[in-house]
Amino acid sequence: MTSSELWTRATADRYDAEEAETSSAAVLGPTIAFLAELAGDGRALEFAIGTGRVGVPLRQRGVPVVGIELSEHMAAVLRRKIDEDTLPVTLGDMATTVVPGGFTLVYLVYNTITNLLTQDEQVECFRNAARHLQPGGRFVIELGVPPLRFLPPGQVAVPFDVSEQHVGFDTFDLVEQILVSHHFTLDGDDGHYRRDSSRHRYAWPAELDLMARIAGLELERRVADWDGSPFTQDSAQHISVWRKPT
């Protein structure tokens, strides 16, 4: 077991409804196309597959997908959508759990590498990806760039969403490289807001590149989004692709 916080049944049951916009075909289309091209004729392994937001449509695209998921509750929601023979899922953490066979693609999306709360565990995640990859295979991570440039001296919080339905902001421990993501979500019709929070270890692109080198992987490409737009100093996130040498 790693330091990742475990998703509860209540969180898993409402996850798809809260992520309906990011799960739409219009939003996911470029993601699926990007991953399918990298997988080619091989198999794909998704670390932290969750409820299958990406894994299920990628499998429907024709790519054989296998998943690893820490939360049995998230995996149970996925299982309502697709059977085990079509998309196998192993319960376990993404830093140490091993599944049989080789893969042309291992991927980890939606900032989930930050669920591992220590640098050592994040390094082990890269090593685990390399362990599963065939020579020439790729490891893909989708991750936000830490928004520390928005922190003036003395401020520790950065808002990322302010609407009638949801208020979200991150607080930062700059010494430990930990952020806490805070959410206040309108819950029902009585005007009450539900409060949730989760801890994450943020990491810079250059730090991930060093983790990849430790695992024997080489940076192949870094873009700002799934559509392939260039990564610049103003990019809020990156899609990074590392390759296992042949």
Side-chain angles (χ1 to χ4, degrees):
M1 180 69 69
T2 66
S3 60
S4 296
E5 295 176 346
L6 199 59
W7 292 61
T8 65
R9 182 185 300 275
T11 303
D13 286 343
R14 62 176 177 257
Y15 182 84
D16 283 349
E18 294 182 347
E19 294 296 334
E21 182 177 348
T22 64
S23 302
S24 68
V27 172
L28 273 183
T31 305
I32 301 306
F34 190 106
L35 295 173
E37 180 180 0
L38 289 181
D41 297 328
R43 299 194 306 156
L45 171 62
E46 180 171 357
F47 285 171
I49 194 170
T51 66
R53 185 183 69 91
V54 174
V56 170
L58 184 60
R59 181 65 185 91
Q60 292 169 341
R61 175 74 174 256
V63 177
V65 177
V66 175
I68 293 174
E69 173 54 42
L70 183 61
S71 169
E72 62 178 313
H73 303 300
M74 296 288 277
V77 175
L78 179 149
R79 193 53 65 221
R80 301 170 198 163
K81 306 173 185 177
I82 193 167
D83 63 84
E84 174 72 16
D85 290 338
T86 305
L87 201 166
V89 174
T90 298
L91 291 178
D93 70 82
M94 56 188 163
T96 63
T97 301
V98 177
V99 298
F103 298 85
T104 56
L105 173 67
V106 178
Y107 65 96
L108 179 56
V109 299
Y110 219 30
N111 301 318
T112 312
I113 183 73
T114 66
N115 288 5
L116 298 169
L117 298 178
T118 70
Q119 186 182 69
D120 286 345
E121 289 171 346
Q122 290 178 354
V123 169
E124 288 306 311
C125 182
F126 272 83
R127 284 178 167 154
N128 201 28
R131 184 180 300 123
H132 286 92
L133 284 172
Q134 298 172 348
R138 276 90 170 191
F139 182 34
V140 176
I141 283 182
E142 175 189 25
L143 182 59
V145 177
L148 301 190
R149 65 195 304 180
F150 296 112
L151 283 176
Q155 181 173 313
V156 297
V158 174
F160 58 83
D161 185 34
V162 179
S163 67
E164 184 176 335
Q165 301 293 321
H166 176 256
V167 175
F169 62 92
D170 294 331
T171 54
F172 292 84
D173 181 334
L174 302 183
V175 175
E176 297 298 329
Q177 211 162 308
I178 294 290
L179 71 84
V180 180
S181 187
H182 305 266
H183 301 265
F184 295 84
T185 308
L186 189 62
D187 196 6
D189 299 324
D190 57 3
H192 286 84
Y193 282 78
R194 183 183 71 252
R195 179 178 181 177
D196 301 292
S197 64
S198 57
R199 294 184 303 151
H200 306 267
R201 182 187 187 274
Y202 63 87
W204 301 94
E207 185 181 6
L208 298 183
D209 289 342
L210 184 55
M211 294 181 189
R213 289 182 60 187
I214 292 171
L217 305 176
E218 302 171 347
L219 180 66
E220 181 176 75
R221 181 170 31 148
R222 174 168 291 127
V223 293
D225 210 339
W226 295 106
D227 60 8
S229 54
F231 179 75
T232 72
Q233 64 179 4
D234 296 318
S235 297
Q237 69 165 11
H238 61 97
I239 315 298
S240 296
V241 181
W242 298 273
R243 184 173 180 269
K244 185 174 183 175
T246 56

